[in-house]
Structures are given as C-alpha cells and as structure tokens.
Amino acid sequence: MTAPLTLPTTSVPDPATAPGLRWGVIAPGGIARNFIGTMHAATASRLTAVCSRSLERAQAFAEDFESDAGPAHAYASVDDFLAHEGLEAVYVASPHAQHFALATKVVEAGIPVVIEKPMTLNAAEARELFETARRTGAYVQEAMWSCFMPHYDVIRQVIESGVIGEVTAVIADHCQYFPFDPEHRLYAPELGGGALLDLGVYPVSYTHLRAHET
C-alpha cells in the first residue's frame, strides 16, 4: 500500500522570535493601524515615531498605540520624523502615488523601509529607488505580506519537490467587489488605483515569486 501523501511543515519563522525593532510609520491610516496593531500583538517590535501631514492625526495614532516602550513621538514633517533618534525601520503606508517620493527620502536617510504595495507606480520608479538604496546601503522591501504566509511556503515546497510534476501554467484570481465611486483612489490610475496595482498585484506577485524561486 502506498503511504498517504503529507504536506511539508512550513519553514516560515515565528514573528515572535524575531528581534524587536523601533518602527516609524508615515501616513497613519487604516492599513498602518492594522500593521502596528499586529506588530504589537505578535512581535517584540514597537512603534516609536509617527508622521502625518496632520500633527493632530499623528498624535492620536501615537496615543492609540502607546506600548510598554512608552508613547511614540508624533511629527508633521518627514524630515523631522527621519531625524528621530533611535528610528530603526520605517513603514510607508501612504496612498500609492506617494510611495516613491516618501520611500526615497527614507532610504536617502539610510533607514530601512518597508513600503505598502505596490512599492511604486511603475518599474522605472522601482529601479531608481533600488539604485538609491544601493548607494546609501538602506534595505528596501515591498510589503507583500501574502508571500510570508505559511501556506504559501508549503505550496512552494510542494512545487519544488516535484511531487505534482512540472508546473507549466498558473491560473490565479483575486475577486473583490467595490461599489463605483469616481472620487475614490481605486478608480484613479494616476493615484495607483485600478485592478492591477491595487489588488491584481497579489496573484501577479504570487506567480512571479514561484517562477523566480523555482
């Protein structure tokens, strides 16, 4: 009798085991709220600085996420924010069209940056951002969180093992309904809206990752 097939164990490390970092956030909106809330709940990292065009908004966000490390500092100036003592990493959570300019300022300061997806609006901006990062030695990463899910890692291992044979085609869908609103950024390509950059990036990134790693 043939032994039943079993799935491999994920090799994704537990975030709780990672060393803690002092994080800063640019653009404290809903996505940043999810990011910091999860970070405080599941890791040793803590929020140390917040930057918004509205100082009051930055202060309110900092108060909401006061931790055992104390309250985060609030700034209305990106330059002042980047000069904050002890800032070890920055999460850029602004609307898509602002990612390139804001992330460039962070890497020019030599600070590691994680940028909400899509990292930039186009390949030319991404290449320029990485070139700046190479020059300054700063780490740059797109916040494609799905690529770090344990089940993504299990699927990758299954594909690499060859147990299902050679993968020659991938069909992937991301279906999500949004009511039409001409004022919303999702319907403004110049702001990074549209099906591809905002949500279609998930299946595209998944397919690219598998092809790159295998």
Side-chain angles (χ1 to χ4, degrees), residues 173-186:
D173 293 309
H174 183 110
C175 300
Q176 192 167 341
Y177 173 74
F178 289 92
F180 178 68
D181 179 359
E183 302 299 321
H184 197 283
R185 64 169 180 80
L186 282 174

Side-chain angles (χ1 to χ4, degrees), residues 21-24 46 48-49 81-89 111:
L21 295 175
R22 294 187 291 268
W23 281 84
R46 293 294 180 262
T48 191
F81 164 83
L82 293 174
H84 179 78
E85 185 176 356
L87 187 62
E88 295 178 311
I111 301 173

Side-chain angles (χ1 to χ4, degrees), residues 27-65:
I31 293 177
R33 185 168 293 275
N34 290 338
F35 181 92
I36 298 301
T38 302
M39 183 181 77
H40 278 192
T43 79
S45 292
R46 293 294 180 262
L47 178 67
T48 191
V50 185
C51 183
S52 172
R53 289 176 296 181
S54 164
L55 181 59
E56 292 75 18
R57 189 181 184 195
Q59 289 171 334
F61 190 92
E63 291 172 2
D64 286 346
F65 290 101

Side-chain angles (χ1 to χ4, degrees), residues 63-136:
E63 291 172 2
D64 286 346
F65 290 101
E66 184 173 351
S67 68
D68 54 338
H73 295 259
Y75 298 93
S77 161
V78 174
D79 291 335
D80 292 343
F81 164 83
L82 293 174
H84 179 78
E85 185 176 356
L87 187 62
E88 295 178 311
V90 170
Y91 173 52
V92 174
S94 66
H96 306 340
Q98 301 168 13
H99 287 177
F100 172 69
L102 291 171
T104 295
K105 290 184 75 73
V106 177
V107 298
E108 285 178 339
I111 301 173
V113 63
V114 174
I115 311 158
E116 186 50 49
K117 58 82 186 164
M119 177 183 294
T120 59
L121 293 184
N122 53 59
E125 288 183 348
R127 284 191 290 266
E128 185 174 343
L129 178 61
F130 278 117
E131 182 56 39
T132 302
R134 279 189 287 269
R135 175 170 52 81
T136 63

Side-chain angles (χ1 to χ4, degrees), residues 195-206:
L196 180 60
L197 281 180
D198 198 84
L199 295 173
V201 65
Y202 285 117
V204 170
S205 174
Y206 175 79

